[in-house]
Amino acid sequence: NVDLMGLCEEGKVEQVVEYMGQGVCADYGVFCALLDSCGDSKSLQVGRRVNEFLKRSPFRGDVELNNKLIGMYGRCGSMRDARRVFDRMRERNMCSWHLMINGYAVNGRGNYGLLLFEEMRKAGLQPNGKTFVFLLAACASVEVVEEGLMYFNLMKNEYGIVPGIEHYLGVIDVFGTSGHLNEAEEFIGKMPFEPTAEVWEALRNYARIHGDIELEDHVDELLVSLDPSKAIA
């Protein structure tokens, strides 16, 4: 008569796992709650135990739960574990691929994300706008400017996806992380719409990171003219 979901809601995740070890069965909702909680708290060891219970449960083949596993491992910084789950999945959806590519990007291993995207293309899967957001993040994480621009153009020219503000910001991240600030400014100048405050703030942050005080001051002026509330002391 143990209320596993109630314990999950109270944040007593380790207690839930102990009960499961004693034979208390978890339902689908409890597995969801456990994996979300382990990802939020970056509890890798507890997450691995939940994974073992999931393997022995009736839900082991469920795509959404396996996606939650991938996401949890990515947030805990263990892309090796995430890849094991991904490779073991008999069924995957677009979210499975996105979680892997983004996980590699967030953990500074974007080159593996780019390789995975090529696998995805070979498998005949059609990327969408979200795919390219994660790809650009992967490029930024390993500072590969040429590849970032190549994927940005591929999105438009081969797949007919109209870039949104998130894609332009992704390219600015690719330029900015690698210190190509002049190219980032030129890219902003060629955008087919007026740059938003978010765009200028991204450039200003990279100018600050790379110590370009002149560019930082210039962007500050642009931001204030765009939105006076952006004025800072």
Side-chain angles (χ1 to χ4, degrees):
N1 295 323
V2 178
D3 180 9
L4 295 184
M5 184 55 89
L7 289 170
C8 284
E9 286 165 0
E10 290 172 30
K12 296 176 178 175
V13 174
E14 291 188 30
Q15 204 173 327
V16 173
V17 170
E18 288 305 315
Y19 277 124
M20 288 166 73
Q22 291 164 25
V24 179
C25 288
D27 64 17
Y28 189 91
V30 168
F31 276 112
C32 286
L34 283 173
L35 292 170
D36 286 341
S37 183
C38 290
D40 289 343
S41 59
K42 296 181 171 49
S43 307
L44 180 58
Q45 295 311 318
V46 180
R48 282 178 175 151
R49 288 192 68 190
V50 176
N51 188 1
E52 289 306 312
F53 289 124
L54 183 59
K55 280 183 196 171
R56 302 196 292 270
S57 82
F59 314 115
R60 60 186 169 274
D62 183 81
V63 176
E64 294 310 320
L65 279 178
N66 278 289
N67 283 348
K68 278 189 177 289
L69 260 181
I70 292 171
M72 181 273 292
Y73 279 132
R75 289 154 80 189
C76 291
S78 182
M79 288 311 294
R80 184 176 292 181
D81 282 314
R83 187 62 191 250
R84 281 197 196 103
V85 175
F86 180 81
D87 287 343
R88 199 178 64 231
M89 288 170 77
R90 289 182 185 174
E91 248 187 276
R92 301 181 188 122
N93 58 19
M94 207 56 156
C95 188
S96 317
W97 295 86
H98 287 170
L99 283 162
M100 284 300 301
I101 295 169
N102 188 52
Y104 281 130
V106 168
N107 288 288
R109 301 175 71 190
N111 48 326
Y112 289 97
L114 302 184
L115 289 170
L116 193 64
F117 174 67
E118 294 307 325
E119 278 184 43
M120 180 180 150
R121 290 179 79 193
K122 282 175 192 166
L125 291 165
Q126 185 80 3
N128 58 30
K130 263 190 177 180
T131 315
F132 287 95
V133 171
F134 299 131
L135 270 178
L136 290 167
C139 291
S141 80
V142 285
E143 301 182 13
V144 286
V145 174
E146 281 183 28
E147 284 87 341
L149 291 174
M150 180 193 78
Y151 286 121
F152 183 72
N153 290 321
L154 185 80
M155 172 180 74
K156 294 186 295 179
N157 302 333
E158 189 168 324
Y159 293 103
I161 298 168
V162 178
I165 184 70
E166 65 277 16
H167 300 108
Y168 287 99
L169 285 166
V171 175
I172 293 164
D173 285 340
V174 172
F175 281 130
T177 52
S178 53
H180 289 69
L181 301 182
N182 291 338
E183 290 90 334
E185 195 175 6
E186 282 174 28
F187 179 76
I188 291 169
K190 291 174 185 170
M191 282 167 53
F193 50 82
E194 280 298 309
T196 61
E198 196 180 4
V199 167
W200 290 122
E201 281 172 342
L203 183 61
R204 181 183 66 185
N205 291 341
Y206 286 118
R208 189 173 291 160
I209 288 164
H210 293 288
D212 191 331
I213 297 166
E214 195 178 323
L215 179 60
E216 189 184 340
D217 288 345
H218 172 59
V219 175
D220 267 334
E221 287 170 19
L222 289 169
L223 268 169
V224 172
S225 67
L226 196 65
D227 180 356
S229 71
K230 299 286 179 189
I232 52 173

